[in-house]
Amino acid sequence: MNTKVEKIGLVLRDLGSRKIRESSTGGALIRTWSATASTSSNNKGFLENLWDGTSQFIGFLISGAISLLSFSWTKLWGWIVGGVTFISNFDWNVTDEDINKQIEGLWDSFGGILGSAAGRAIGWIGCGLVPAAAIMTFNESLATHLLKEVGEQAIDEMLDAATEVIQAGFRMGVQASFLWLYKNVRRVLKDPNNPFGMALRGIVGTANVENWGKGESWTIASAIENTIESIPNTFLRNFVEEAWEEGTEACIEAGYAIAGGIDSFLAEQAIANNNVLGTERIVEITPDRTVPDERIVLSGREAVLGPNIVSVLATHQMFRNRDVGVLINGSPTDEYIRPGVVERRMIIEFKEKPTPPWVMPDGKRARKRQITIFDIKRGLTWKEVKLAANPYNSGQVLITAQLDNKQQMQAYGATANSALQKIEELLKLSTAELLPNGVRESNYVQATPRRESLPYIVYPSKAVLVWKKKSTDLTGREDLAGTLWDEQTVEFDLWPENEPANLPNLG
């Protein structure tokens, strides 16, 4: 008698494992953590949402403007250098008519700068923020997203425009004030009835005072240059000329270095004294070092990150080796899915620097790449691994190669050929082979400027051999077929020229 077996229908969200995960992740099936608590309310009306968004935007704009006006030693030194340069190149014999024209030209130029800033602000507000706010009348979610995206760009553009206006206004105002003051002081000193003018005529002569502002132009820079050029000895003239130029440039650079050091020191002191929660940090956690592709990124203050890191690791340990659903259409998965356990695999890490410390000259952390090789051969030596993991050109082209052991290898390269060549070199360490027509190339679509970085050479830094053996007791990890496995990890450096001492057996 044939009995019809009814299929079991399952709702994934009703599985016990899904319930546990949802309770731990706040209702999401993907594990995400945030170090900053936030609250939101969806009960606000249109006017309240518009008012909140406008208030936040104005607050950001005011805080940005305050930061632009803040004092720094670097800005002060820049003003001093600019002032000295202006004085040394100023024509002390300029006529009153030329001074009036220069003042008028400065004012006219500032009008163009002010108009440019006003146009940018009006354009971003009228064509960006106002339409985004108008959308809120019929789609609040879309309007909120647009206000956030457009608002950030608008703030940056208007702050840049404000910076140009403030800097240009200050610079032109100082120049115009100096020209106006110089013209009037010179007129007073040229008056023969003025006691200061009479004293000046007695020192430099009446003819020189009368011709002041009427003769040829005279600047401090040209006077120094003429003095140097008048030295009759060629050796001494060249010596003085180069010493003056190099000494001036070195003095300016040294001043900027000192001012920057003072600003950095004061900033560090302010953070240490005022920031109770510590500095802002971004932490990348790899809960299982044998699975380097699984990473969790947290951001927040140091005092807040500590408990969150502990919570993330504890949650990861709780979910480790937990089932996420056993039945599919009523049939156990282990009846038709084979475990395919990879007993030996090796992760090779490449870095942008050939030797530690792994920090570039500019202070940034050296970039790194990782390539995983499956079914590693037995009896390998350190020299064989070192030879296969030689330096290569890394870039943004991703190559995925399918292997005959149903695994795949991936590598980033400057070109598709360089990435494929590196995969073929590393496959010498494996018993697997490349499948015909099993290579696929992928690249970024509309890549950002950061992803469009130039190719760079990476060097082997270390390797991790993950070795799985069948467990002889009940302490191992169980796969889908019910087999228990013990896992051994062997980590060794590849950056030295010679084999490290006390290197464990690579099997």
Side-chain angles (χ1 to χ4, degrees):
M1 179 177 179
N2 294 329
T3 303
K4 184 178 179 181
V5 179
E6 296 182 357
K7 295 183 179 181
I8 300 176
L10 293 179
V11 179
L12 294 180
R13 287 191 173 271
D14 292 337
L15 294 176
S17 58
R18 294 297 178 98
K19 294 294 184 180
I20 296 175
R21 176 165 293 186
E22 287 181 2
S23 64
S24 300
T25 58
L29 294 180
I30 299 176
R31 289 170 288 175
T32 57
W33 290 267
S34 175
T36 304
S38 61
T39 59
S40 60
S41 175
N42 297 325
N43 297 324
K44 295 183 178 180
F46 166 75
L47 294 178
E48 291 178 322
N49 286 325
L50 181 61
W51 172 257
D52 291 343
T54 305
S55 302
Q56 293 178 4
F57 173 77
I58 295 175
F60 281 132
L61 190 61
I62 294 175
S63 62
I66 293 175
S67 65
L68 293 176
L69 298 174
S70 60
F71 171 83
S72 71
W73 291 94
T74 304
K75 291 181 182 179
L76 177 61
W77 180 247
W79 294 340
I80 293 175
V81 172
V84 173
T85 303
F86 175 79
I87 294 297
S88 62
N89 291 280
F90 177 73
D91 183 10
W92 296 93
N93 212 23
V94 64
T95 63
D96 291 346
E97 292 77 12
D98 290 337
I99 290 178
N100 293 333
K101 291 181 180 179
Q102 291 184 27
I103 295 175
E104 184 179 359
L106 290 172
W107 175 250
D108 294 338
S109 299
F110 182 72
I113 296 174
L114 188 61
S116 174
R120 290 165 68 179
I122 294 173
W124 276 101
I125 294 175
C127 299
L129 296 178
V130 172
I135 295 175
M136 191 170 290
T137 57
F138 57 90
N139 193 328
E140 293 185 7
S141 299
L142 177 60
T144 303
H145 174 76
L146 291 177
L147 285 174
K148 179 181 179 182
E149 296 293 328
V150 178
E152 291 177 354
Q153 298 183 40
I155 290 173
D156 293 337
E157 290 292 333
M158 285 189 282
L159 287 180
D160 290 342
T163 302
E164 295 176 4
V165 171
I166 294 173
Q167 293 179 350
F170 178 81
R171 183 178 65 255
M172 293 179 177
V174 171
Q175 293 179 5
S177 301
F178 177 83
L179 291 171
W180 178 85
L181 185 63
Y182 177 77
K183 181 183 71 173
N184 288 277
V185 170
R186 183 174 62 182
R187 185 177 66 250
V188 172
L189 293 178
K190 291 182 67 174
D191 186 3
N193 298 323
N194 187 282
F196 295 100
M198 295 176 60
L200 182 63
R201 291 170 184 268
I203 296 174
V204 301
T206 303
N208 292 330
V209 174
E210 292 295 334
N211 293 328
W212 189 9
K214 300 179 180 179
E216 297 180 354
S217 63
W218 185 89
T219 63
I220 298 175
S222 62
I224 296 174
E225 183 178 0
N226 294 334
T227 302
I228 295 175
E229 293 295 334
S230 64
I231 299 176
N233 187 286
T234 304
F235 173 83
L236 182 59
R237 182 172 63 252
N238 293 336
F239 174 82
V240 174
E241 182 178 4
E242 294 298 327
W244 172 256
E245 293 179 359
E246 295 297 328
T248 303
E249 294 179 1
C251 180
I252 294 174
E253 294 177 0
Y256 276 115
I258 292 176
I262 295 176
D263 289 336
S264 300
F265 176 79
L266 294 178
E268 293 176 358
Q269 292 295 318
I271 291 175
N273 294 331
N274 300 328
N275 191 4
V276 180
L277 297 178
T279 57
E280 186 79 18
R281 300 288 186 184
I282 298 178
V283 180
E284 182 180 88
I285 305 174
T286 305
D288 189 352
R289 289 190 298 177
T290 62
V291 188
D293 293 335
E294 184 181 4
R295 297 184 179 92
I296 301 172
V297 179
L298 302 177
S299 64
R301 299 290 181 179
E302 290 177 340
V304 181
L305 277 178
N308 280 274
I309 292 175
V310 176
S311 175
V312 167
L313 295 176
T315 305
H316 181 273
Q317 186 176 8
M318 180 182 67
F319 281 112
R320 189 177 185 179
N321 294 331
R322 295 295 192 274
D323 293 334
V324 291
V326 177
L327 300 179
I328 299 178
N329 292 334
S331 301
T333 58
D334 55 0
E335 286 187 3
Y336 60 93
I337 297 179
R338 295 294 177 260
V341 174
V342 178
E343 296 186 15
R344 290 167 57 84
R345 72 176 186 273
M346 181 178 292
I347 300 98
I348 297 182
E349 183 182 84
F350 299 82
K351 290 194 176 181
E352 195 176 3
K353 278 192 63 181
T355 57
W358 309 116
V359 179
M360 304 303 292
D362 58 357
K364 296 182 179 178
R365 186 174 58 180
R367 292 173 288 185
K368 66 180 181 180
R369 294 293 192 193
Q370 289 182 339
I371 301 178
T372 303
I373 314 161
F374 301 94
D375 291 340
I376 295 296
K377 294 179 180 178
R378 296 184 179 273
L380 287 178
T381 63
W382 181 87
K383 291 183 179 180
E384 291 177 318
V385 178
K386 174 77 173 180
L387 180 62
N390 58 337
Y392 76 103
N393 283 330
S394 178
Q396 306 304 326
V397 180
L398 175 62
I399 290 297
T400 302
Q402 300 293 335
L403 308 179
D404 59 359
N405 61 353
K406 299 181 181 180
Q407 301 292 341
Q408 64 181 19
M409 288 181 62
Q410 290 185 327
Y412 283 95
T415 62
N417 290 333
S418 64
L420 180 58
Q421 181 180 358
K422 175 48 59 180
I423 290 177
E424 292 174 348
E425 291 175 352
L426 294 177
L427 272 177
K428 296 178 182 178
L429 306 177
S430 172
T431 59
E433 294 182 357
L434 192 64
L435 288 177
N437 301 323
V439 177
R440 184 178 73 255
E441 176 184 351
S442 61
N443 207 336
Y444 290 115
V445 179
Q446 297 180 353
T448 61
R450 181 177 180 182
R451 288 175 173 171
E452 290 178 343
S453 59
L454 296 175
Y456 56 96
I457 300 178
V458 290
Y459 306 84
S461 59
K462 68 177 181 181
V464 179
L465 175 62
V466 182
W467 190 353
K468 291 185 177 180
K469 302 179 182 179
K470 290 186 178 181
S471 178
T472 58
D473 51 25
L474 299 178
T475 60
R477 298 175 61 181
E478 184 178 5
D479 65 4
L480 294 177
T483 305
L484 297 177
W485 299 88
D486 289 331
E487 190 174 277
Q488 177 184 357
T489 301
V490 179
E491 182 176 339
F492 53 96
D493 292 327
L494 290 176
W495 60 265
E497 293 296 331
N498 300 319
E499 180 176 343
N502 301 324
L503 181 66
N505 182 19
L506 301 182

